[in-house]
Amino acid sequence: MSALFHNARVIAHHGVLDHGWVRVSGGLIVGLGEGAPPPEAGGEAVLDLGGAILGPGFIDLHIHGAVGHDLMTASPDGFAEVARFLASHGVTAFLAATYSQSPEALRSAALSIARNAGTEFDGARLLGAYLEGPYFSERRRGAHGAAHLRAPDRGEVQALIDTGGILVMSHAPELLGSEWLSSALTEAGIVVAVGHTDATAAEIAVAVDRGATLVTHLFNGMRGIHHREPGTAGAALVNDGLVCELIGDGVHLVPEILDLVWRVKGGDRIALVTDGGPGMGLADTAVGGRVARLTDGTLSSSNMALDHGVRTLSRATGAPLEEIWPSASTVPARVLGMQNSTGSIAVGLAADLVSLDGAGAVQLTVVGGRVVFRGGAFS
């Protein structure tokens, strides 16, 4: 598809274009500018966005499921349904997250995710797997089942790496075996994250030296801040080498904490995620409203999509949508090492785009130059 999007406030890589246009062809961004759009090319679609915001598509690094599907066990049709749902909320790419399970179940899930990654769904692209666990602290396990927590095992880790679809793995760095685990993941090109951990600030500093670059859902499932021991959360806030995931549903983190993290980390070291579960997108709010919980009340996954997180962080911080936007697009792409192919609006990058109206509602989602969701009115 070749298309020209114009009359938009474009969040481009080099700055905001107040009266901008973007041209796409062959799945890539081939031109952009400010002011009157260039003459139409033969056969291209022309969409007047009516002054809406046009930015890079959102990338959800950490989602376990949606619309009734658990991504550990989803069928190809299930992945497709999730991909379509995510596109309707501005997501153009995502990682399918696992949770602590048996070695056999984890390897089966990783293989399934790897097989479905790259499939041209009529929606968001599945990039690969995010392994959340099973090498976690029992004290900070959250919704992860205690029976499936364990220390890193070399054979299991290699079998998981060999599936070929893992892009991120989260672990508790204080566990015995973390040193060789970090090395094995780094050598395989897998992003090393820390999460569900009781690590001290000193142990987090060591983890960063070993290659950790990402913090799994900051404040949730980790040692908190004490004025004489910064803990995992405090170390994550002040260490510039760590990008912090934030769940933006307004429950996992209250607005005041979202504002605090924004002030300390800045937008270029925050990655908005959903940590979404199968209840996301279901009409039946009996699953828990904005969040899902275990029977004992423990917070589990979120039911709110990433566009909700963008709006929530904007309200909590007072920052306009265009300042929040990179935390849901550019930063996740950089975390994955994909900043030269997606995550920004620049010539030569993938035409992964989303348009929001002034209230932050999704009007249009474009994946690889294809319009996969159209909910707004355009001329």
Side-chain angles (χ1 to χ4, degrees):
M1 174 183 177
S2 296
L4 177 65
F5 305 95
H6 68 101
N7 190 17
R9 183 172 170 81
V10 176
I11 304 174
H13 180 67
H14 59 276
V16 177
L17 307 176
D18 288 320
H19 304 284
W21 56 268
V22 176
R23 172 169 271 157
V24 307
S25 181
L28 301 176
I29 298 167
V30 296
L32 69 155
E34 191 161 18
E40 297 175 18
E44 78 177 351
V46 179
L47 286 85
D48 183 335
L49 298 186
I53 305 173
L54 182 68
F58 301 144
I59 300 172
D60 195 345
L61 287 177
H62 185 162
I63 176 170
H64 295 271
V67 288
H69 297 286
D70 180 339
L71 293 176
M72 277 194 72
T73 56
S75 66
D77 286 345
F79 279 108
E81 287 184 32
V82 171
R84 287 192 294 270
F85 167 78
L86 292 178
S88 73
H89 289 273
V91 175
T92 56
F94 67 104
L95 297 189
T98 65
Y99 44 86
S100 299
Q101 259 294 346
S102 68
E104 296 76 19
L106 279 178
R107 186 169 184 277
S108 175
L111 285 169
S112 172
I113 294 166
R115 282 193 299 268
N116 284 279
T119 300
E120 193 169 292
F121 299 121
D122 191 20
R125 285 197 309 274
L126 171 61
L127 300 176
Y130 183 125
L131 261 61
E132 187 180 2
Y135 312 131
F136 283 156
S137 160
E138 183 166 350
R139 184 176 182 186
R140 306 292 179 178
R141 65 185 178 87
H144 290 255
H148 294 300
L149 302 183
R150 49 195 180 271
D153 176 84
R154 290 181 184 270
E156 180 182 15
V157 169
Q158 191 58 55
L160 289 169
I161 291 173
D162 289 345
T163 64
I166 300 168
L167 299 188
V168 178
M169 185 170 188
S170 182
H171 74 296
E174 71 274 20
L175 297 183
L176 185 65
S178 290
E179 182 174 1
W180 66 257
L181 174 62
S182 293
S183 297
L185 296 177
T186 301
E187 288 173 10
I190 296 170
V191 175
V192 180
V194 296
H196 290 278
T197 169
D198 199 38
T200 64
E203 288 170 325
I204 292 298
V206 171
V208 172
D209 289 341
R210 291 174 179 168
T213 58
L214 184 66
V215 178
T216 299
H217 45 54
L218 183 66
F219 283 109
N220 289 278
M222 64 184 57
R223 182 190 286 251
I225 298 173
H226 185 276
H227 55 282
R228 286 189 292 274
E229 166 47 58
T232 305
L237 283 172
V238 299
N239 193 308
D240 289 342
L242 290 171
V243 169
C244 294
E245 294 178 8
L246 296 185
I247 301 174
D249 57 23
V251 178
H252 279 83
L253 298 172
V254 297
E256 294 84 354
I257 294 298
L258 290 172
D259 188 34
L260 169 68
V261 179
W262 178 261
R263 294 181 188 213
V264 175
K265 293 296 285 187
D268 64 340
R269 291 185 179 87
I270 289 171
L272 276 169
V273 299
T274 60
D275 194 24
M280 181 187 292
L282 295 181
D284 183 3
T285 56
V287 294
R290 283 185 289 172
V291 297
R293 296 178 183 271
L294 302 185
T295 55
D296 64 0
T298 299
L299 271 176
S300 181
S301 54
S302 176
N303 293 329
M304 307 307 293
L306 201 53
D307 59 325
H308 175 87
V310 169
R311 295 189 294 269
T312 299
L313 187 57
S314 178
R315 287 193 298 268
T317 61
L321 289 175
E322 54 262 36
E323 290 185 19
I324 300 298
W325 209 293
S327 296
S329 56
T330 310
V331 175
R334 191 182 78 232
V335 165
L336 297 174
M338 296 180 177
Q339 66 271 25
N340 293 326
S341 60
T342 190
S344 300
I345 294 182
V347 172
L349 270 60
D352 298 334
L353 310 168
V354 59
S355 174
L356 305 185
D357 64 21
V362 177
Q363 289 187 321
L364 181 80
T365 305
V366 180
V367 177
R370 296 184 303 118
V371 175
V372 295
F373 174 76
R374 184 168 177 169
F378 309 104
S379 57

